[in-house]
Amino acid sequence: MNAKDKFIQNYSWKILSFLCVVIAYTVGLVMKVPNDAKLNETIRNLYYHVPMWFGMTILLIVSLVYAIKYLSKPTAENDFYSSGFATTGVVYGILGIITGMFWGAYAWGTPWEMKDPKMIGVSIGMILYLAYFVLRGGIADTQQRARISAVYNVFAFPSFIALIYIMPRLAGFSLHPGKEGNPGLNPKDADAQMRIVFYISTVGVTLLGVWITLLQIRIKKILFNLENQQHNI
Amino acid sequence: MIRLQKKSLLTWLLSVIALIQTFAQNSSTEGALRRQGGIYIVIIIIAIILTGLYVFLFLLERKIKRIEKHLNK
């Protein structure tokens, strides 16, 4: 592979991410939206708030995949990937909560509606994942830390999915849309045009998360190698 | 390599300054943009911020690459 191919392979998806994010974040502000008496212009948050959750879910799935990979083949690299994707996923989740609080304050009159099952689920889920990092921080031995946290990840992910996607639909009452089917994409609220911008935004934001994660993993590897070198000396 | 990086940053900054100046001239001639409510300015600012963040990530990656090369030697 020559240098040009390598450059294209390395940067094409990053440029795609940039284009998607810029297009969705700018077009989303001016494009016509359906009239909604309650949401008004805040319906545009579909392009900014909801992709955070979709991106988080995808990043956490990747984290789970690498946790399973670690359990079948325990290498330091699999552990770096698993924990790295979990970190970015949780950052996206926190951003989703903060942006959702502002939206909720406008649309529901309260930033935190305790009766909403999705909010209860997501707060428990975030605590689940924060516990993952506490667990990692608490174990000094690197191999033990990697193995125990991989097992924890395998258990935490299905619980998290059950809490934010399944439980709100069973509860029967939610301020969030989508308890009838697809979460976040209620056909009554979002028309076809809005959905296109939403998908573009989701792709861009998710790829951005992947890029940040890969950089993080490389820093982890550098630190790991430096520590090993010091041990050998 | 460092020189190249500085050059690309400089071109980026210059293009931003040129962009600002075009709009400054527009507003001096009783801007049509101001009458429109100025949402396009907001959009341009968002685009600039996002570009800046992506350029920053790009440069960060190059820095990491350099450290990796240095360590592999």
Side-chain angles (χ1 to χ4, degrees):
Chain A
M1 200 192 288
N2 62 36
K4 200 185 164 192
D5 285 345
K6 222 174 177 180
F7 183 85
I8 291 168
Q9 197 192 22
N10 195 9
Y11 287 108
S12 54
W13 62 274
K14 288 161 192 167
I15 291 163
L16 176 75
S17 158
F18 171 68
L19 291 177
C20 283
V21 169
V22 169
I23 288 169
Y25 273 54
T26 53
V27 169
L29 279 179
V30 278
M31 216 182 69
K32 276 203 170 144
V33 288
N35 279 327
D36 188 302
K38 208 167 87 184
L39 293 176
N40 296 319
E41 291 285 344
T42 65
I43 198 169
R44 294 183 199 277
N45 275 338
L46 177 72
Y47 311 136
Y48 313 112
H49 165 74
V50 187
M52 284 291 152
W53 295 112
F54 274 56
M56 176 203 73
T57 311
I58 294 166
L59 294 173
L60 290 182
I61 288 172
V62 179
S63 168
L64 172 74
V65 168
Y66 276 102
I68 294 168
K69 254 188 164 173
Y70 179 86
L71 291 175
S72 66
K73 192 173 168 240
T75 60
E77 190 159 331
N78 281 339
D79 180 52
F80 294 153
Y81 274 82
S82 182
S83 61
F85 277 101
T87 310
T88 321
V90 168
V91 169
Y92 271 30
I94 290 167
L95 286 175
I97 288 177
I98 295 168
T99 53
M101 277 163 78
F102 280 94
W103 198 5
Y106 179 85
W108 306 332
T110 164
W112 197 267
E113 173 59 62
M114 244 318 169
K115 273 185 248 157
D116 188 69
K118 215 166 215 175
M119 288 183 134
I120 301 166
V122 111
S123 33
I124 301 169
M126 279 290 131
I127 291 168
L128 270 180
Y129 270 95
L130 290 179
Y132 171 80
F133 296 111
V134 174
L135 181 72
R136 285 185 70 85
I139 303 170
D141 182 57
T142 45
Q143 275 181 7
Q144 214 167 19
R145 174 172 63 206
R147 197 172 63 245
I148 292 171
S149 67
V151 173
Y152 181 87
N153 199 333
V154 171
F155 282 106
F157 181 76
S159 322
F160 189 49
I161 291 301
L163 281 168
I164 64 167
Y165 288 115
I166 299 168
M167 191 267 277
R169 291 187 201 184
L170 297 177
F173 161 80
S174 178
L175 289 169
H176 279 92
K179 67 172 184 296
E180 310 87 7
N182 199 348
L185 282 178
N186 193 336
K188 272 181 271 170
D189 296 343
D191 61 6
Q193 264 187 321
M194 281 189 80
R195 218 171 289 188
I196 294 168
V197 180
F198 165 74
Y199 282 131
I200 292 173
S201 181
T202 305
V203 169
V205 163
T206 308
L207 287 179
L208 174 64
V210 172
W211 189 6
I212 294 170
T213 311
L214 291 180
L215 292 184
Q216 235 179 326
I217 290 163
R218 282 162 77 172
I219 293 172
K220 277 185 192 181
K221 271 188 205 160
I222 290 168
L223 291 175
F224 180 76
N225 288 339
L226 278 177
E227 249 170 53
N228 275 8
Q229 276 174 8
Q230 276 170 351
H231 270 290
N232 291 342
I233 293 162
Chain B
M1 209 160 162
I2 297 167
R3 200 178 274 169
L4 203 117
Q5 185 180 324
K6 270 186 184 157
K7 230 181 218 170
S8 65
L9 248 183
L10 201 72
T11 22
W12 188 76
L13 271 177
L14 276 177
S15 55
V16 169
I17 289 165
L19 210 73
I20 290 166
Q21 279 208 323
T22 7
F23 286 108
Q25 278 166 4
N26 273 356
S27 66
S28 67
T29 54
E30 281 302 307
L33 282 160
R34 206 182 292 169
R35 259 177 275 133
Q36 278 174 7
I39 189 70
Y40 291 98
I41 295 295
V42 178
I43 285 166
I44 289 162
I45 284 169
I46 289 173
I48 290 170
I49 288 172
L50 288 174
T51 313
L53 285 175
Y54 272 86
V55 169
F56 170 71
L57 266 184
F58 175 78
L59 295 178
L60 194 65
E61 179 163 8
R62 290 238 297 226
K63 213 173 263 175
I64 291 170
K65 209 179 268 173
R66 216 174 301 154
I67 295 169
E68 280 171 351
K69 264 187 195 156
H70 183 76
L71 284 176
N72 282 340
K73 260 177 202 169

